[in-house]
Structure formats: C-alpha cells, structure tokens
C-alpha cells in the first residue's frame, strides 16, 4: 500500500513492490500530467486530461448573461483517465489513514478485515456522491415536475456540475478494477465485486452516452442512499455484533428504491420518450429515441433490479437461517437437566456407604449372649 513505511523492501518491479507502492507511482504520473501545464508545448495536451472539455456558450435570453454548457466527446476518455488516477490516490489515503487504524483496534479476522475495508471505501464514496447528487437535484424542478426526465430530449447539453459528476462516477468505478489487484482481494470475492463494478460502469456510461443523464442522476441518488446505509450498518456490525438495527431499515429502503427505480424507468421509456417530438436515431444530434434502444434500456434496468432483488432475498434467507440456528442452540443450552434420583439404602442398614447397627448393647453383653 502506498504511503506506508515498510521494514523490508521487495525487489523492484515485483508484484509485491507494485502493490506496496502503487499509490506513489500513480501520484508521480498525475504530477507529470500537472507539470505539463507549465510548458506551452505540452499545455494543450495536459489541459485535456485535467479540465472538462466540449463547452458550448448559449444565450437563453437577451437580458441574461451567456451560460456555459457542456457536451460529451472522445476527449472525455483522457479526463476520465486522469480522475481515475486521483481516485486511486484517494483510495490509498482512506485505507492508510482511516481504515487500517480502525482495523488495528478491532482485531478482525481475515474475512471480516476484507469486508470491513470494502465497506469503508464504499461508504465514503456513497456518502460523497449522495451529497453531491442531492446538491445538483436541488437546482432542478424534478420534485414538482417529473416530466423534466424526458421533456426536450435529446438532452445533449449539461451544466458543469452534471458533466463533472458523471466523469468522476465513471472514473471511480473504473479505478475499482485495478484495485482488486492492488488490495489483494480474495479469489472467492472477485466475481461478486466484478459483477457490481461492471454493472455500475455499464449503466452510468450508458446514461451518459445516450443523453439520459437526468434519469441516471435521479436513479443514482436514492440508490446511493440505500447502499450507504447498508455499508455503514456493516461497519457498525463489525465493531459490535449486537448493532444490527441498521440492516432492518436498509431492507425496507432497499425494496422502496427498487420499486422507485422500476416506476421511473417504465414512466420514462414507456410513456415519456415515445410521446416527445424528436423521434428517430441520429448520432450527430445525439438522438437515440427509437423503440429498440428504449426497450433495450428498460430491459437492462429491469433485469438488473430483478438480479438485485434475487440477491437480496437470498441474503435475507441466509440471515434468517443463521438466526434460527442461534435461537435453537440457545434453547438447548438453557433447557434444565434431569434431576438425579435418590439412592436407596442398601441391605443390612447401609445407607450412603455407612453401615448403621440397630443393636445398642455393649460389646461384653454381645459376647455373653453369643456364648
């Protein structure tokens, strides 16, 4: 891990060397790109990585000032790459200065240690993205007018905050792929993490390219809130296994978020977009309002929600079985043991191993009687 002092340095360019120092190497690459701004020859290339491209100035009213809006294009790949590097650096900082210190205090097992790191990183990202997304939505009138999801489609122009939000989202989820190697994720956990990383990349990039950034933003904000609650609850659970109330609230909000996602998706692709004026397919205009693309997007969202509900049901069933087993084991431990029977007195007046004689005469009298 970067930013960490090691007693033993592995061989240069070995796997262990790259894993321990990957954040430092990525920092050097990001600094090289920033230094490119200092020279006139390289400035035009370096600025392509750092700043948001494809700005367009529009005048809405004669009295108002011009507004800077943005479109997307192939140069966005360079911007995504630069902020992918920034995400790797921030990932290493959170791991080194927050999560590792908490792990030393909790003394978790290897399995819980890996899940704790995963939840810690994702909780920080979901919290930041949720606050950022809410700040963008407050400037829109979605709460009073949901038709803004499809009115005026294609939405080829974006304000700076919306475009930068999508750039950072794509960069973060792409950075999660090499982090599987850098963090030494266990082989049994790699398929599960690959599934949700690829789903995030496909859905967010699809909403960005198809000019559906309004719908994508509205669907991401409640989803991130639910995921934030889940990973925060898991962090509290690892610190104290008795703290499980957060999972109950998460289960309720999870179902509500799935229903909200399906409702808005069907409303947009099934009723809103088919009734807009701009119907047809045009790459130059950024118009993808045709039946095939609408149904493909709706099917992708519905299948993803169905898969998430399937995983959710299996998770709840697993927890219910574990709870039932724990309750059964507790009942067996608390059940009273059978009481031992009283021992009967032995023949000849022996009770409890002691022989009691009923003859109270003296020894001399017993001898005389015997003679």
């Amino acid at each position: 891990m970067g930013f960490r002092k090691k007693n033993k340095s592995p061989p240069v360019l070995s796997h262990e060397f790259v894993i321990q120092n990957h954040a430092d190497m990525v920092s050097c690459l990001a600094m090289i790109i920033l230094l490119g701004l200092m020279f006139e020859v390289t400035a035009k290339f370096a600025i392509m990585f750092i700043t948001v491209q494809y700005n367009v100035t529009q005048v809405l009213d004669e009295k108002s000032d011009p507004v800077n809006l943005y479109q997307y294009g192939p140069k966005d790949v360079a911007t995504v790459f630069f902020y992918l590097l920034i995400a790797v650096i921030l990932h290493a900082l959170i791991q080194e200065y927050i999560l590792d210190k908490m792990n030393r205090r909790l003394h978790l097992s290897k399995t819980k240690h890996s899940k704790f790191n995963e939840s810690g990183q994702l909780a920080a990202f979901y919290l930041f993205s949720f606050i950022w997304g809410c700040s963008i939505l407050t400037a829109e009138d979605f709460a009073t007018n949901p038709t803004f999801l499809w009115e005026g489609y294609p939405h080829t122009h974006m304000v700076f905050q919306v475009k930068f939000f999508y750039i950072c989202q794509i960069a973060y989820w792409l950075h999660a792929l090499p982090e599987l190697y850098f963090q030494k994720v266990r082989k049994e956990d790699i398929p599960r993490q690959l599934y949700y990383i690829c789903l995030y990349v496909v859905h967010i990039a699809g909403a960005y390219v198809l000019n559906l950034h309004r719908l994508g933003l509205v669907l991401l904000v409640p989803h991130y809130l639910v995921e934030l609650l889940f990973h925060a609850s898991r962090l509290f659970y690892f610190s104290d296994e008795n703290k499980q109330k957060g999972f109950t609230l998460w289960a309720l909000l999870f179902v509500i978020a799935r229903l909200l996602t399906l409702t808005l998706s069907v409303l947009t692709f099934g009723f809103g977009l088919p009734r807009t004026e701009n119907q047809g397919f045009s790459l130059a205009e950024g118009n993808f309002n045709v039946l095939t693309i609408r149904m493909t997007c709706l099917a992708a969202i519905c299948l993803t929600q169905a898969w998430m509900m399937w995983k959710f049901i299996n998770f709840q069933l697993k927890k219910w079985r574990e709870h039932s087993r724990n309750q059964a084991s507790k009942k067996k431990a608390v059940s009273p043991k059978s009481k031992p029977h009283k021992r009967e007195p032995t023949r000849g007046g022996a009770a409890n191993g002691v022989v009691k004689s009923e003859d109270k005469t003296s020894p001399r009298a017993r001898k005389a009687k015997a003679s």
Side-chain angles (χ1 to χ4, degrees):
M1 177 63 62
F3 309 106
R4 187 181 298 175
K5 296 181 180 180
K6 298 293 182 180
N7 296 328
K8 296 181 180 180
S9 58
V12 180
L13 299 182
S14 63
H15 290 288
E16 193 65 27
F17 178 85
V18 174
I19 291 173
Q20 290 183 9
N21 302 280
H22 73 274
D24 298 323
M25 293 187 289
V26 169
S27 300
C28 293
L29 182 57
M31 287 300 299
I32 292 173
I33 296 175
L34 290 173
L35 289 174
L37 296 173
M38 300 177 62
F39 306 98
E40 186 176 356
V41 178
T42 57
K44 58 181 179 180
F45 297 102
I47 199 171
M48 182 175 59
F49 287 87
I50 301 170
T51 61
V52 178
Q53 303 295 309
Y54 302 104
N55 60 317
V56 178
T57 303
Q58 285 189 348
V59 179
L60 301 178
D61 297 325
E62 295 180 357
K63 298 181 180 179
S64 60
D65 297 331
V67 179
N68 289 326
L69 300 176
Y70 294 85
Q71 297 175 332
Y72 69 82
K75 292 182 180 179
D76 290 340
V77 176
T79 311
V80 169
F81 174 75
F82 177 77
Y83 287 99
L84 184 151
L85 302 180
I86 302 299
V88 172
I89 298 171
L90 293 176
H91 189 115
L93 289 173
I94 294 174
Q95 184 67 41
E96 175 67 18
Y97 294 104
I98 299 177
L99 297 179
D100 284 350
K101 292 182 178 180
M102 296 176 67
N103 277 319
R104 295 190 193 101
R105 295 180 180 179
L106 296 176
H107 303 288
L108 300 174
S109 62
K110 290 184 178 181
T111 303
K112 291 184 177 181
H113 183 274
S114 177
K115 292 181 179 180
F116 184 87
N117 290 336
E118 179 188 3
S119 293
Q121 294 286 349
L122 290 176
F125 169 74
Y126 288 138
L127 177 61
F128 175 76
S129 298
F130 173 73
I131 296 174
W132 192 4
C134 287
S135 66
I136 296 174
L137 287 179
T138 52
E140 303 289 345
D141 56 348
F142 170 71
T144 57
N145 183 23
T147 58
F148 98 107
L149 292 175
W150 58 81
E151 281 186 350
Y153 184 85
H155 307 135
T156 56
H157 296 88
M158 299 171 279
V159 297
F160 172 80
Q161 289 292 336
V162 173
K163 175 159 185 174
F164 193 49
F165 177 84
Y166 273 91
I167 292 290
C168 293
Q169 293 294 312
I170 298 172
Y172 179 86
W173 290 114
L174 287 177
H175 112 280
L177 294 173
E179 286 293 344
L180 297 177
Y181 169 72
F182 294 145
Q183 298 296 325
K184 294 182 179 180
V185 177
R186 299 184 308 165
K187 291 183 179 180
E188 54 269 25
D189 291 337
I190 289 178
R192 175 183 59 83
Q193 295 192 27
L194 274 178
Y195 287 150
Y196 72 74
I197 291 172
C198 293
L199 285 174
Y200 274 116
V201 172
V202 170
H203 283 74
I204 295 175
Y208 183 68
V209 173
L210 297 177
N211 291 316
L212 295 170
H213 50 83
R214 293 184 182 180
L215 177 64
L217 185 61
V218 171
L219 296 182
L220 276 177
V221 169
H223 174 74
Y224 280 170
L225 174 62
V226 175
E227 293 299 308
L228 169 63
L229 181 60
F230 171 76
H231 289 284
S233 300
R234 195 156 74 160
L235 291 175
F236 284 115
Y237 172 76
F238 289 142
S239 62
D240 185 359
E241 294 186 355
N242 295 323
K243 297 179 180 179
Q244 300 186 22
K245 295 182 179 179
F247 291 109
T248 305
L249 179 60
W250 163 76
L252 177 62
L253 294 180
F254 183 90
V255 177
I256 295 175
R258 303 287 73 79
L259 294 175
L260 178 64
T261 300
L262 290 174
T263 302
L264 293 178
S265 300
V266 172
L267 187 65
T268 302
F269 293 109
F271 299 96
L273 290 177
R275 299 181 181 180
T276 57
E277 297 179 357
N278 295 327
Q279 300 286 329
F281 179 81
S282 176
L283 287 174
E285 298 178 359
N287 190 1
F288 303 94
N289 193 8
V290 292
L291 180 62
T292 304
I293 296 179
R294 290 199 304 265
M295 292 299 101
T296 302
C297 294
L298 183 59
I301 294 174
C302 292
L303 289 175
T304 302
Q305 301 307 307
W307 178 76
M308 294 176 67
M309 281 300 300
W310 175 254
K311 301 288 288 184
F312 172 78
I313 293 172
N314 288 334
F315 175 80
Q316 294 297 328
L317 289 175
K318 182 181 177 181
K319 290 294 183 183
W320 179 76
R321 289 168 187 166
E322 291 178 355
H323 179 72
S324 299
R325 291 173 186 172
N326 294 334
Q327 292 296 327
S329 61
K330 288 181 180 179
K331 288 181 179 179
K332 290 182 180 179
V334 174
S335 60
K337 298 181 180 179
S338 59
K339 296 181 179 180
H341 298 285
K342 295 181 179 179
R343 296 179 62 181
E344 295 179 356
T346 59
R347 293 182 180 180
N352 296 329
V354 180
V355 178
K356 295 181 180 179
S357 178
E358 295 179 355
D359 192 1
K360 299 182 179 180
T361 58
S362 62
R364 292 182 180 180
R366 287 199 298 269
K367 288 181 180 180
K369 186 178 181 179
S371 62

